[in-house]
Amino acid sequence: MSDLLHNTHAPADPDSSSRSQAEVSADMDAVSREYAGSKAAAGDGETRTRLDFPAYRSSILRHPTKDLHHADPEGVELWSPVFGENDLDPLEADLTVQHGGEPVGERMKVTGRVLDGDGRPVRRQLVEIWQANAGGRYIHKRDNHPAGLDPNFTGVGRCLTDGDGTYEFTTIKPGPYPWRNHRNAWRPAHIHFSLFGTDFTQRLVTQMYFPGDPLFALDPIYRSIVDPRARRRLVAAYDHDVTEHEWCTGYRWDIVLTGSQRTPLEEEHA
Amino acid sequence: MTWLPTPGQTVGPFFSFALEYDGDAALVPDHHPDAVRLHGRVFDGAGQPVPDALIELWQAEPSGRPSRASGSLRRDSATFTGWGRCATGADGRYAFTTLVPGAPFFALTVFARGLLDGLFTRAYLPTASGDAFLRTVEAERRHTLLAVADDAGYEFDIRLQGEDETVFLAHPRH
């Protein structure tokens, strides 16, 4: 594998690169400097993730090159799929009880509220998470990072938000892991989140990170959110009021989807 | 007070062990008398199939209304929820078994490893070529939003980049 990583004559495989972290970081710093001096950095700044971010090599052939086309949501887009209690088991919100024993690692609770762009709670909607285990290994046949698989941890959870828009999972803190974007590339520890709003156009997949991670500055996926304030919105807060005595640590992370297109009058009161 | 949106991030690399579920792409059973296939491939800028993309489908009922029924993750084979999810295979192919929407398009999202944020698009029924929204799209790109009828139902390829790049959508306040 190391031969592959060092072979500069290899075809441009987006999965492997011999570039150094210093080179990749220099590219990311150049984008940041350009952004800091631009008009886009004023006010709320750039709130979206850049799709064209070459430091993440796999994005090079997978980002649209044309501007997104403006479309007022219509018909089905003004609604979201409905998920109900029958779609999931309440135990799916606890990733530590899916097997015969306790998973290895730091048990923790992750909770927060899902809100729309007007601050209204997103009620009874599906939240899905997936993550690596404490050693930074996914239970996926193509993940060959030589860290242990944990027989007591799958790393998949689901729940519905409650009437206040609150979700809550019990899980294990994931570890950082290497990836082949460049030489010695490591992802900051993160949990993938999949969310639905009240409209289909609010559909969001994102990642939650942990405060103070030394890998933030080095990571092309995190830094593809170029505005530093916007990317901090992906970082959870340690919350001692969520932490439980003799049981688990606690983190809080609120998620804001974009604005709903429906007027409140059209909202369901189910 | 301004509520600034949480930015998106790539679904990759290993979403499939988490987001796929039994029957995810079968909105109706294959033997349903009105079943049709919405199928196609996802391509990158080099024209190569994308084997690690996830397409989600949300569509109106045959009546034209959005379904308000739950049961999209644990299907009972009788309720049409209008929601489905399909990961692409090694050949970049996805396929849904569904019903023809009584509204002119299938709403789709595209997620993939290497795609830093999800994308929205619409697969219009071939009969909808005169749709008011389609007329707002440049004539030479309009065909990228039109599904093509075939024996199974409809074919709709998604090109993330390059020649015939699919028109992806931005919605106001998004």
Side-chain angles (χ1 to χ4, degrees):
Chain A
M1 186 176 75
S2 61
D3 285 348
L4 186 67
L5 291 177
H6 288 292
N7 182 1
T8 53
H9 300 294
D13 177 355
D15 283 334
S16 66
S17 168
S18 60
R19 300 185 76 215
S20 69
Q21 178 70 55
E23 290 171 293
V24 171
S25 292
D27 287 352
M28 294 192 289
D29 291 345
V31 172
S32 291
R33 274 196 305 276
E34 186 187 357
Y35 174 74
S38 73
K39 281 188 204 149
D44 292 336
E46 203 173 278
T47 58
R48 289 202 60 157
T49 306
R50 289 214 183 159
L51 298 177
D52 180 6
F53 199 73
Y56 175 27
R57 290 177 51 82
S58 296
S59 75
I60 293 171
L61 291 172
R62 295 185 173 192
H63 71 271
T65 59
K66 300 192 165 36
D67 289 340
L68 302 182
H69 191 86
H70 172 97
D72 288 316
E74 55 181 278
V76 76
E77 289 168 331
L78 291 165
W79 301 87
S80 238
V82 179
F83 298 97
E85 304 293 348
N86 290 340
D87 280 307
L88 30 107
D89 185 317
L91 290 178
E92 290 182 78
D94 189 341
L95 287 72
T96 68
V97 297
Q98 296 169 350
H99 300 279
E102 290 289 339
V104 173
E106 173 186 335
R107 190 187 300 108
M108 62 174 188
K109 205 173 260 192
V110 178
T111 186
R113 293 177 76 206
V114 183
L115 304 168
D116 72 14
D118 298 312
R120 293 180 294 208
V122 173
R123 302 186 173 99
R124 317 307 298 167
Q125 262 300 3
L126 180 67
V127 181
E128 298 164 286
I129 64 169
W130 68 103
Q131 62 170 95
N133 69 25
R137 177 101 184 250
Y138 285 96
I139 187 159
H140 187 284
K141 56 184 182 292
R142 285 181 53 215
D143 184 357
N144 52 13
H145 173 38
L149 280 172
D150 184 340
N152 293 320
F153 191 72
T154 302
V156 179
R158 290 194 175 96
C159 74
L160 295 180
T161 55
D162 69 12
D164 191 37
T166 299
Y167 70 87
E168 182 179 297
F169 292 101
T170 301
T171 184
I172 294 293
K173 190 174 185 182
Y177 59 82
W179 59 310
R180 294 175 183 167
N181 186 67
H182 53 274
R183 182 91 184 125
N184 205 17
W186 287 78
R187 292 295 332 273
H190 60 274
I191 298 178
H192 295 266
F193 270 71
S194 154
L195 304 134
F196 294 81
T198 51
D199 304 6
F200 188 59
T201 53
Q202 295 173 306
R203 177 84 179 95
L204 178 72
V205 171
T206 189
Q207 301 179 22
M208 184 203 95
Y209 297 90
F210 293 89
D213 196 313
L215 294 167
F216 283 155
L218 306 178
D219 181 43
I221 293 180
Y222 180 66
R223 290 190 63 179
S224 65
I225 303 161
V226 174
D227 188 292
R229 296 161 294 178
R231 61 180 180 245
R232 276 198 293 271
R233 295 202 285 275
L234 297 193
V235 182
Y238 171 75
D239 187 335
H240 202 65
D241 290 331
V242 177
T243 291
E244 289 185 20
H245 177 70
E246 298 278 326
W247 182 242
C248 68
T249 57
Y251 290 85
R252 186 173 292 280
W253 186 50
D254 292 336
I255 300 151
V256 180
L257 307 177
T258 52
S260 169
Q261 304 293 324
R262 273 190 282 152
T263 64
L265 281 175
E266 289 172 295
E267 266 190 55
E268 280 184 308
H269 297 282
Chain B
M1 167 155 189
T2 311
W3 297 81
L4 293 171
T6 304
Q9 292 268 267
T10 179
V11 74
F14 300 127
F15 61 83
S16 61
F17 82 103
L19 295 180
E20 291 175 36
Y21 55 91
D22 288 345
D24 52 6
L27 284 76
V28 295
D30 281 336
H31 57 75
H32 191 289
D34 299 322
V36 292
R37 305 269 279 178
L38 174 69
H39 66 102
R41 283 182 291 171
V42 182
F43 295 102
D44 70 13
Q48 294 300 306
V50 175
D52 39 20
L54 184 77
I55 309 299
E56 290 179 346
L57 165 69
W58 172 230
Q59 67 165 91
E61 296 175 351
S63 69
R65 284 189 300 268
S67 168
R68 306 312 297 147
S70 65
S72 294
L73 297 180
R74 301 231 172 109
R75 297 189 195 282
D76 62 10
S77 84
T79 308
F80 184 75
T81 67
W83 162 254
R85 178 181 273 175
C86 187
T88 56
D91 55 359
R93 195 170 284 284
Y94 72 91
F96 294 98
T97 309
T98 186
L99 302 175
V100 179
F105 63 83
F106 300 93
L108 300 175
T109 57
V110 185
F111 300 100
R113 182 183 65 82
L115 177 60
L116 277 156
D117 197 1
L119 294 168
F120 295 94
T121 190
R122 295 175 183 169
Y124 276 85
L125 297 173
T127 50
S129 56
D131 179 85
F133 167 75
L134 283 175
R135 289 201 302 271
T136 72
V137 177
E138 302 155 72
E140 60 272 25
R141 300 191 66 204
R142 212 171 284 164
H143 69 280
T144 72
L145 295 177
L146 279 166
V148 177
D150 65 13
D151 290 346
Y154 305 105
E155 183 169 18
F156 184 75
D157 288 340
I158 295 167
R159 296 176 190 276
L160 296 174
Q161 195 185 85
E163 199 178 340
D164 289 332
E165 181 177 304
T166 300
V167 172
F168 297 106
L169 307 179
H171 302 102
R173 309 190 64 205
H174 286 248

